[in-house]
Amino acid sequence: MTNRREFIKLSLYGAGALAVGSGSYKVIKTLSSPDEVKKLKVDLKRTPTYCEVCFWKCAGWVYKTSEGKIWKIIGNNEDQHSNGRFCPRGTGGVGMYYDEDRLKTPLIRIEERGKQVFREATWDEALEYIAEKMKDISSKSGPESMALFTHGSGSAYFTNLLKAFGSSNIAEPSYAQCRGPRDEAFLATFGEEVYSPEITDIRDTKCLVLIGSHIGENMHNGQIQEMSDAIDKGVTIITVDPRFSTAAGKSKYWLPIKPSTDIALLLAWIHEIIYNDYYDKKYVEKYCNGFDKLKEHVKDFTPEWAYGITTIPPDKIRKTAKEMSDASPAVLIHPGRHVTWYGDDTQRIRAIAILNALLGSWGRRGGFYRPASHPLPSAKIPKYPEPKKTWTDAFPGKYPIASSPVSNAIIDASIPENKPGLLIKGWIINGTNLISSIPDQANTKKAIQNLDLIVTVDTMPMEITGWADVVLPECTYLERYDMLRSSPYRKPAIALRMPAAEPKNNTRSGYNIARGLAVKLGLESYFPFEKQEELLDWQLKQSGSSLEEMQYIGVKTYEREVDDLYFAENENVVFSTDSGKIELYSKYFEDAGYDPLPNYVAHEEPPEGFYRLIYGRAPMHTFGRTSNNPNLTDLMHENLVWVNPKISKEWGLSNGQYIWLKNQDGVVSDFKIKVRITERIRWDSIYMVHGFGHGQKQLKRCFGKGASDTQLITKVLIDPLMGGTGMRSNFVTFVTEKTEKEVAS
Amino acid sequence: MEEEIFVSGRMNHLIDPQLNIWHWQIPLYLFLGGMAAGILCIAALYFIRGREKDYSTAVRITPFIAPVLLILGLIALFIDLRHKLFFWQLYINIRLQSPMSWGAWVLMVITPVSFIWCALHIRDIFPNWDWKFKWVYELESFFNKYKKVLAWIMLIYGIILGIYTGILLSAFNARPLWNTSILGPLFLASGLSAGAATTLLLSKNKAERRQFARIDLILIGIELFLIIHMFMGFLASTQVQIEAAKLFLGGPYTMSFWIFVVIMGMLIPALLEFMELGKFHIPVIVPAVLVIFGSLMLRFIIVYAGQVSRWLY
Amino acid sequence: MRYAMAVDTRKCVGCSDCVVACQTENDVPHGFCREWVVEVMNGTYPQLEIEIRSERCNHCINAPCVRCCPTGASHFADGGIVLVEHNKCIGCGACMASCPYDARYPHPSGYVDKCTFCIHRIKSGLKPACAAVCPTKCIYFGDLDDPNSDVSVVLKKRKSKTLIPEAGTKPQLYFLI
């Protein structure tokens, strides 16, 4: 792992800022003096926030009624992420606040784990319990035996806490279960990842290529807005998907590819683009390493060869290759986001990265832009203790390319019979429902039973909370402050989240919880500010603003120091790779013992009577997080299983019929799912939206609605390079009658 | 394959998956109103033609049922309203394009008229009836003087009442099953038929019974003719109307319509009355009750089936 | 003044943001909706095409719901917007039965409710909530009598259709195809 890569990655990551000197950025829309700030008419009926429903973090306003009740959430017009328009989940965020099924008070388990018998406790009791257990674990096996699984705005505080405690085993499931392979592939090729929000310049692209990416069903606000702008400008969209997605419905070319064969198509495109001289010669010559090796490697990967594997006709492959090159450099082969499919995902995204490099889209308008973020000072805290062991010591030699901790590796390291080099004994889980996000539920549950301590911090009684020793209820984002948002984007900008209402019931903000626990552990010095708003005000004052100003404007955008959004003509760009150039041929992978150039490997196909389980998103929900939100269940309250008419005829299924699904390992879904007979799905696959089939009775609105795809994902194809969990090699068959009674977990 | 779905689960209560806003209250009212209209029309008609003596039951006795039916109908209508506290808005607005407004005002007229008509004949039921107040006696003699005018009013408003129940439904062209101008005359004929059947039931006069049996027969004939034309019209019309007709030709309402309405409500009574006229002795209660039953079922089935038929989705 | 709305089916992705924005803006009770999204798909795999439409009340020129209302609660307001006056509505349901688009629904409070083109927002110079929130900006709204309004401009540029024109209602919700 190169230091350069780590450095670049850390310096541009939003939350948890670097200590950098004051920025000399010119500020757009500045309210420079306190008098100007006071002159602004105060709109008491609205407060600024940024959305927590997904990672896009759109900034907006929470409007309240004259009685002070939260009424609606609207986008902030100055915000680059949302351009004043929130997506359905953000608009429906009010439902998160009003949901009566929310966690209300801390809970401590009194019967065996998983039976969900808790007693209510005070915060003091609960935090004391956790602190005692953590100290116990630390004394018996060292603080590095604690691990944190985290997602969302609270990550900053719990990361700080755990690092202060002495552990660096901090895993975000969004790495190994989602974007990890993509980040590593782009890091290996360009020396930089694509960030969240992705640095894709969709609005100016002339040709958008989507490999399985279902923009329009995955509701990445900025990407959908930009795709719409691009459609107005006449963009050519090429969608590669075995399913006729919404994006395919707007595409000039839809390539109905056979599932699991995408790498073959990508290699054929690379072949076409190289051997027809379609590539950006100047760009490749100036910026890329390894072109000759690449050219040799793809010599035999012709469209005819790919046709036999992918079922895409050769002339279509050629046509689309030409379209891409005609649009070059304003062409974007989208890196995707959730790319953990078949275990060779890092290599597949490498092919995508290589294709982008050949067409010269990286750093060019219509391709990928250079992001900039506004650095914020961080509070002075003592140095973190150096942990004696890290997660990499659990299974030495495994996942050598991983630059972030791998959640599933940490789960495996919690099971003694796996004989890990580091045995994890305690988990803190913040804002992620591991039961639904990690495949192979049986393994996760096994790991949990081996722990000395498991703590969950959540707003809703999701499945994972049922397994906890201590459940800590967090208030929603509408009831708290959080760190300033400072995501890398086209222009540096910061956004404030402030509470629109007091925390309901006995809930607290993540910052309060983490700090409270730190106090109990004697680590108070790592949280020098008692109130988060004091920390924010201090940070803002160091940046030429103030909390008061931000409360009025919500978003502050700065100009870039240098106008380097795209590469300048003949700019001497140095990439953060070992060679300083774009690595078409990855020596880094080669040295680690893996293919330096992507290869196509055939994957398992569904047995007779079984269909590949393909899952995806719906634009009105964020995984399983919003399944109980009253505003969003009004739009969609259950998922459907898409079945091709040929198959439904074979099985005698009718539209709207409810069935169970059984996978290749004999696991049957707990709940029934409604059949949707549609031509939009291939006959060898079925499709369902992820995030339903909740088995928690406390989630009154979504309990038992739809089926859980996670439950059926028992075969996991691990990406050996970075530990990503490939989930698309599970096959299901239909069960129309169940003999035993339905069981809820 | 064409697939049409709601992406954001529209499931408006009482609107999806089919319209379900009118339940038993509305078809019951349509039936009661139609039957009352039939009774009053027949009473007025024979009075005007001077046949009071021949058909005394029809003119004098049967109308006593009408006010009861009308009051029950009004109660059913009131129960159906969802915003009951504002029902009085109906009576401070008159909207000529709205059949429902017509209905409200027609009922306003014909209900008191029917009460008055009954009051004029109260001594046929209660021979020793005493009004107790002088002004009531004065009213009685006033109305007796202008009985013919009253009868004309009753006749005209009765026809409007009978026909508007059908026009009301046919004005909703959003429900393809109701979008036929035949519905008005059909409901009027059905109402007259039910009214005639009531007299058939109540009359002790053999000649009267025979006459009304004949009337009923003619009315049933007219109804069958209208029904056949209605279906011919649907099947020759747009796609949505063909589908509406299919509800009765193989769809979920086939059995109930043809058995209850046509066979039991029209064909069997017609046969029985024919046989009665041909000197066979049939207990009169059978065809009479069947006709009334058929009239009731016609309203129920048309109202429920109509809500199933729609243009979109 | 004739208000109308145009939805660009080429850009609409069916996210249903319009539905939930309308719900929060207008306090539409849970379980009911004033707007909805329809997806129509044609063909056989892999020759397929889809059309996605965001729909609501069409505020028809020849509105059957206004015609059949017995109390006049359903009426035309400024610019042809069809509104329901709550305290005149008796809840008889005639308007619900007369709408071929089934755009109305019975509000739990008793009266009949539906899309109002956010007339309270239009009066302040804002756009209806759905048009203001749509992430793809596929909802255009404005005055047809003004040749420079968003909707006039886009209807001139693009081909459009309305739903069931044969019903004779002259709807003012256009779909750009």
Side-chain angles (χ1 to χ4, degrees):
Chain A
M1 202 179 322
T2 61
N3 289 331
R4 182 191 251 147
R5 185 174 295 121
E6 274 274 298
F7 175 81
I8 299 296
K9 185 161 137 30
L10 282 171
S11 70
L12 286 176
Y13 231 101
L18 268 190
V20 171
S22 68
S24 56
Y25 294 102
K26 196 177 80 190
V27 173
I28 305 173
K29 280 206 176 287
T30 258
L31 297 164
S32 39
S33 72
D35 292 321
E36 257 189 52
V37 161
K38 281 191 169 57
K39 260 194 268 171
L40 238 198
K41 261 202 249 166
V42 179
D43 200 333
L44 288 166
K45 288 207 230 98
R46 72 175 194 180
T47 54
T49 191
Y50 61 87
C51 188
E52 182 74 5
V53 188
C54 91
F55 68 92
W56 208 265
K57 300 199 178 147
C58 301
W61 300 102
V62 182
Y63 278 78
K64 297 191 263 201
T65 62
S66 43
E67 291 101 47
K69 283 187 72 195
I70 291 180
W71 172 30
K72 62 179 182 179
I73 304 177
I74 302 291
N76 185 325
N77 288 331
E78 310 305 321
D79 177 37
Q80 292 173 89
H81 294 219
S82 70
N83 301 306
R85 292 162 186 262
F86 263 34
C87 83
R89 297 108 84 226
T91 309
V94 291
M96 249 192 202
Y97 172 75
Y98 285 113
D99 194 344
E100 335 75 49
D101 297 333
R102 281 171 60 176
L103 291 171
K104 299 186 173 63
T105 192
L107 301 169
I108 297 181
R109 166 174 76 86
I110 51 179
E111 283 191 38
E112 67 183 69
R113 241 177 232 151
K115 272 186 108 180
Q116 301 211 45
V117 183
F118 297 96
R119 66 168 173 88
E120 289 183 5
T122 62
W123 277 100
D124 202 57
E125 260 188 286
L127 294 174
E128 188 63 46
Y129 182 106
I130 298 169
E132 284 309 308
K133 278 270 165 87
M134 280 175 76
K135 284 186 214 157
D136 200 38
I137 290 174
S138 178
S139 65
K140 285 209 195 104
S141 20
E144 54 271 0
S145 310
M146 282 298 298
L148 168 69
F149 297 90
T150 182
H151 186 93
S153 302
S155 303
Y157 326 127
F158 292 97
T159 301
N160 187 27
L161 175 70
L162 222 73
K163 283 195 171 153
F165 186 70
S167 165
S168 65
N169 305 326
I170 296 153
E172 293 184 317
S174 63
Y175 177 76
Q177 274 67 59
C178 185
R179 54 178 170 83
R182 170 194 87 174
D183 291 346
E184 299 307 340
F186 271 72
L187 272 171
T189 313
F190 297 104
E192 200 172 353
E193 53 156 302
V194 292
Y195 305 105
S196 309
E198 284 80 6
I199 50 174
T200 46
D201 203 22
I202 297 176
R203 71 184 182 198
D204 281 325
T205 192
K206 297 208 182 83
C207 179
L208 175 64
V209 182
L210 304 169
I211 313 286
S213 197
H214 52 345
I215 298 184
E217 283 155 292
N218 73 18
M219 188 74 214
H220 298 164
N221 199 354
Q223 296 194 8
I224 288 191
Q225 292 193 20
E226 293 194 14
M227 183 172 81
S228 176
D229 291 338
I231 290 176
D232 271 340
K233 292 183 202 164
V235 68
T236 297
I237 304 180
I238 300 170
T239 300
V240 178
D241 200 320
R243 182 183 67 98
F244 190 70
S245 59
T246 303
K250 307 207 184 296
S251 302
K252 188 167 171 193
Y253 297 94
W254 169 45
L255 274 54
I257 195 168
K258 180 164 162 199
S260 80
T261 61
D262 313 89
I263 294 186
L265 176 63
L266 290 162
L267 290 170
W269 273 337
I270 293 174
H271 170 99
E272 274 303 289
I273 286 172
I274 291 181
Y275 285 95
N276 283 319
D277 283 343
Y278 288 161
Y279 62 99
D280 189 335
K281 290 211 173 79
K282 250 181 78 182
Y283 184 95
V284 169
E285 209 179 319
K286 193 173 168 70
Y287 298 127
C288 301
N289 249 3
F291 178 78
D292 295 318
K293 289 204 188 106
L294 174 66
K295 183 166 177 173
E296 175 65 31
H297 179 74
V298 299
K299 190 170 58 168
D300 298 323
F301 297 146
T302 61
E304 281 72 19
W305 164 83
Y307 171 49
I309 298 171
T310 62
T311 74
I312 308 292
D315 65 296
K316 223 171 185 184
I317 298 179
R318 293 199 162 87
K319 238 196 243 168
T320 44
K322 181 106 197 343
E323 284 271 1
M324 286 187 248
S325 78
D326 283 346
S328 159
V331 59
L332 174 60
I333 294 94
H334 199 282
R337 185 168 176 85
H338 174 90
V339 291
T340 47
W341 301 352
Y342 301 106
D344 57 359
D345 313 297
T346 313
Q347 296 290 8
R348 183 181 71 254
I349 310 297
R350 273 272 297 147
I352 291 178
I354 290 169
L355 199 48
N356 276 302
L358 287 176
L359 293 167
S361 67
W362 183 268
R364 315 282 278 288
R365 181 181 293 275
F368 296 83
Y369 61 82
R370 268 203 190 115
S373 67
H374 182 77
L376 290 163
S378 45
K380 287 220 165 33
I381 53 175
K383 195 166 177 300
Y384 291 131
E386 192 74 33
K388 290 201 194 68
K389 284 188 174 176
T390 69
W391 72 277
T392 51
D393 295 307
F395 306 105
K398 259 193 170 175
Y399 318 138
I401 311 291
S403 53
S404 284
V406 175
S407 37
N408 34 300
I410 294 182
I411 293 175
D412 289 339
S414 312
I415 300 174
E417 39 187 77
N418 290 337
K419 298 205 175 49
L422 164 67
L423 180 64
I424 306 291
K425 307 246 56 184
W427 291 0
I428 298 180
I429 305 167
N430 168 58
T432 169
N433 183 11
L434 291 185
I435 301 294
S436 191
S437 34
I438 315 283
D440 193 0
Q441 288 177 335
N443 191 47
T444 312
K445 290 175 186 169
K446 186 169 171 199
I448 290 176
Q449 295 293 26
N450 278 297
L451 298 170
D452 287 348
L453 171 69
I454 166 171
V455 178
T456 59
V457 179
D458 210 320
T459 56
M460 298 292 298
M462 287 289 169
E463 280 77 6
I464 190 64
T465 61
W467 291 89
D469 295 339
V470 184
V471 178
L472 298 176
E474 190 181 10
C475 57
T476 67
Y477 68 103
L478 297 169
E479 298 147 272
R480 63 184 201 235
Y481 282 97
D482 263 311
M483 302 310 285
L484 293 161
R485 181 201 79 188
S486 181
S487 306
Y489 220 80
R490 291 191 179 85
K491 291 201 170 105
I494 53 175
L496 173 71
R497 173 183 291 163
M498 68 174 279
E502 285 299 307
K504 258 193 175 179
N505 305 308
N506 195 13
T507 57
R508 286 190 184 176
S509 71
Y511 184 85
N512 270 321
I513 298 173
R515 187 170 195 277
L517 192 49
V519 167
K520 295 276 184 203
L521 289 166
L523 301 168
E524 208 172 317
S525 51
Y526 290 90
F527 289 85
F529 291 90
E530 192 191 334
K531 287 213 174 103
Q532 191 166 21
E533 50 263 47
E534 289 162 3
L535 164 59
L536 297 175
D537 196 30
W538 174 82
Q539 279 188 308
L540 287 163
K541 291 218 166 82
Q542 309 272 314
S543 274
S545 177
S546 69
L547 186 62
E548 203 180 0
E549 182 189 15
M550 289 305 290
Q551 285 176 343
Y552 292 160
I553 59 176
V555 169
K556 192 160 186 175
T557 313
Y558 300 82
E559 284 294 358
R560 297 174 74 103
E561 202 173 54
V562 181
D563 183 15
D564 58 349
L565 186 63
Y566 307 110
F567 294 168
E569 194 72 29
N570 287 319
E571 180 182 337
N572 290 324
V573 183
V574 178
F575 296 87
S576 304
T577 52
D578 291 333
S579 62
K581 287 196 161 189
I582 297 175
E583 313 246 303
L584 297 175
Y585 181 93
S586 177
K587 193 159 179 305
Y588 176 47
F589 279 20
E590 193 179 45
D591 291 341
Y594 295 100
D595 287 345
L597 288 165
N599 275 304
Y600 167 70
V601 169
H603 292 289
E604 196 183 345
E605 297 196 28
E608 183 75 39
F610 282 74
Y611 312 95
R612 186 181 300 271
L613 171 60
I614 303 181
Y615 53 86
R617 311 281 173 241
M620 55 282 281
H621 279 289
T622 305
F623 328 117
R625 173 187 301 191
T626 54
S627 318
N628 207 53
N629 181 324
N631 293 75
L632 301 178
T633 49
D634 276 348
L635 301 177
M636 177 178 181
H637 64 279
E638 62 177 348
N639 56 355
L640 307 174
V641 58
W642 292 25
V643 180
N644 186 283
K646 282 201 203 83
I647 304 302
S648 66
K649 207 158 160 203
E650 268 177 43
W651 284 79
L653 299 175
S654 48
N655 213 10
Q657 182 181 350
Y658 281 89
I659 57 172
W660 293 269
L661 300 173
K662 179 162 90 164
N663 80 352
Q664 75 282 342
D665 295 328
V667 175
V668 183
S669 62
D670 282 339
F671 303 110
K672 290 186 282 197
I673 183 170
K674 197 174 188 180
V675 169
R676 171 184 170 176
I677 299 178
T678 175
E679 289 280 354
R680 291 173 66 178
I681 185 71
R682 259 176 86 98
W683 52 88
D684 61 358
S685 314
I686 55 108
Y687 176 78
M688 57 198 278
V689 168
H690 170 80
F692 289 90
H694 282 280
Q696 290 285 95
K697 291 208 177 74
Q698 303 94 313
L699 297 168
K700 296 197 197 71
R701 225 163 273 112
C702 67
F703 167 68
K705 297 262 165 52
S708 162
D709 53 323
T710 313
Q711 188 179 26
L712 300 163
I713 298 175
T714 51
K715 185 175 348 162
V716 182
L717 301 176
I718 302 283
D719 187 329
L721 281 93
M722 42 63 66
T725 50
M727 304 187 221
R728 295 201 179 164
S729 217
N730 285 271
F731 312 111
V732 296
T733 185
F734 308 131
V735 175
T736 47
E737 271 160 25
K738 232 188 185 182
T739 46
E740 65 272 32
K741 273 167 77 170
E742 284 184 326
V743 172
S745 65
Chain B
M1 163 182 188
E2 197 200 72
E3 194 193 0
E4 200 175 58
I5 59 163
F6 287 125
V7 168
S8 52
R10 191 184 89 175
M11 212 25 94
N12 277 331
H13 180 52
L14 302 180
I15 308 290
D16 302 303
Q18 56 158 84
L19 198 69
N20 199 9
I21 49 171
W22 288 333
H23 307 122
W24 58 268
Q25 298 94 331
I26 296 299
L28 181 66
Y29 156 72
L30 295 178
F31 163 71
L32 295 172
M35 187 157 142
I39 291 172
L40 295 172
C41 279
I42 292 172
L45 186 66
Y46 279 119
F47 177 81
I48 288 168
R49 289 180 62 190
R51 308 293 293 273
E52 188 176 351
K53 295 265 165 20
D54 299 328
Y55 305 122
S56 62
T57 319
V59 174
R60 305 178 69 93
I61 309 292
T62 320
F64 273 89
I65 297 187
V68 178
L69 297 175
L70 288 170
I71 294 296
L72 286 175
L74 280 167
I75 291 175
L77 277 187
F78 183 74
I79 293 177
D80 170 72
L81 291 181
R82 269 181 204 89
H83 215 204
K84 294 180 175 55
L85 290 176
F86 295 88
F87 79 96
W88 46 270
Q89 290 276 2
L90 265 178
Y91 296 111
I92 60 169
N93 293 289
I94 184 159
R95 314 234 340 136
L96 291 171
Q97 288 206 301
S98 163
M100 222 175 242
S101 189
W102 278 54
W105 288 102
V106 162
L107 281 172
M108 269 286 259
V109 171
I110 205 167
T111 311
V113 164
S114 70
F115 269 102
I116 294 169
W117 189 265
C118 293
L120 294 180
H121 302 112
I122 192 110
R123 290 192 188 76
D124 285 30
I125 313 270
F126 303 107
N128 299 317
W129 188 263
D130 179 13
W131 289 117
K132 293 202 175 31
F133 295 103
K134 189 152 172 278
W135 61 269
V136 186
Y137 277 104
E138 279 172 15
L139 269 178
E140 188 184 13
S141 55
F142 171 78
F143 283 118
N144 262 317
K145 201 161 124 202
Y146 292 102
K147 200 167 177 189
K148 204 149 188 207
V149 178
L150 193 68
W152 271 106
I153 293 176
M154 205 160 82
L155 178 64
I156 292 171
Y157 276 88
I159 291 176
I160 297 176
L161 178 65
I163 204 169
Y164 113 91
T165 52
I167 291 181
L168 174 77
L169 293 183
S170 66
F172 297 129
N173 71 338
R175 308 295 137 206
L177 183 69
W178 294 342
N179 191 14
T180 164
S181 46
I182 288 186
L183 222 49
L186 177 63
F187 276 26
L188 178 62
S190 176
L192 287 169
S193 176
T198 317
T199 300
L200 197 60
L201 206 53
L202 293 176
S203 175
K204 310 244 181 341
N205 181 338
K206 195 154 177 240
E208 194 178 10
R209 289 215 298 272
R210 281 182 73 90
Q211 172 65 345
F212 277 86
R214 247 182 257 124
I215 291 175
D216 234 352
L217 220 52
I218 295 171
L219 285 170
I220 287 175
I222 294 175
E223 281 179 80
L224 286 168
F225 172 78
L226 288 173
I227 286 178
I228 291 173
H229 263 79
M230 189 171 80
F231 280 106
M232 280 172 61
F234 282 145
L235 292 170
S237 186
T238 64
Q239 181 64 27
V240 281
Q241 263 150 339
I242 294 174
E243 269 157 35
K246 286 221 191 89
L247 286 169
F248 294 120
L249 300 168
Y253 291 93
T254 313
M255 286 281 116
S256 41
F257 181 74
W258 295 105
I259 293 180
F260 291 139
V261 179
V262 179
I263 296 177
M264 283 174 72
M266 293 179 196
L267 293 176
I268 293 183
L271 183 66
L272 292 178
E273 281 173 6
F274 202 66
M275 286 162 68
E276 171 77 33
L277 290 173
K279 312 290 184 205
F280 277 98
H281 183 65
I282 312 283
V284 78
I285 192 171
V286 178
V289 167
L290 283 176
V291 166
I292 293 173
F293 173 74
S295 185
L296 177 71
M297 290 311 289
L298 173 70
R299 304 299 196 288
F300 265 85
I301 290 171
I302 294 280
V303 169
Y304 278 100
Q307 289 180 88
V308 174
S309 70
R310 52 206 256 157
W311 279 89
L312 294 169
Y313 320 129
Chain C
M1 199 164 54
R2 166 67 52 190
Y3 287 121
M5 191 179 266
V7 174
D8 191 346
T9 63
R10 265 199 331 210
K11 300 204 294 191
C12 177
V13 293
C15 70
S16 309
D17 207 350
C18 44
V19 180
V20 63
C22 169
Q23 184 179 52
T24 54
E25 174 78 35
N26 295 298
D27 292 318
V28 178
H30 285 301
F32 295 97
C33 62
R34 289 186 177 187
E35 325 216 324
W36 56 93
V37 177
V38 173
E39 178 190 289
V40 183
M41 189 225 66
N42 265 302
T44 309
Y45 191 100
Q47 265 74 45
L48 299 171
E49 51 178 32
I50 55 175
E51 181 180 274
I52 307 181
R53 303 191 294 255
S54 158
E55 298 185 0
R56 56 195 60 67
C57 164
N58 292 267
H59 295 273
C60 310
I61 292 181
N62 191 16
C65 54
V66 173
R67 194 172 59 234
C68 75
C69 177
T71 61
S74 280
H75 63 280
F76 292 113
D78 290 340
I81 296 181
V82 176
L83 290 182
V84 176
E85 204 179 315
H86 296 170
N87 291 338
K88 258 189 159 176
C89 176
I90 61 172
C92 69
C95 57
M96 292 191 280
S98 70
C99 178
Y101 308 97
D102 291 313
R104 290 163 169 256
Y105 68 92
H107 196 278
S109 304
Y111 52 84
V112 174
D113 200 25
K114 67 177 196 64
C115 163
T116 58
F117 268 173
C118 284
I119 194 167
H120 61 286
R121 286 174 62 98
I122 300 174
K123 290 210 173 114
S124 316
L126 298 167
K127 283 198 261 209
C130 52
V133 84
C134 178
T136 59
K137 299 198 274 287
C138 74
I139 301 182
Y140 302 90
F141 179 82
D143 180 3
L144 279 181
D145 289 340
D146 172 11
N148 296 319
S149 70
D150 287 346
V151 74
S152 303
V153 167
V154 82
L155 282 173
K156 259 192 284 234
K157 268 202 288 199
R158 298 270 302 274
K159 267 203 282 206
S160 66
K161 71 176 194 190
T162 56
L163 292 179
I164 39 174
E166 61 268 29
T169 53
K170 298 216 188 76
Q172 296 306 295
L173 176 61
Y174 298 89
F175 294 97
L176 307 176
I177 49 178

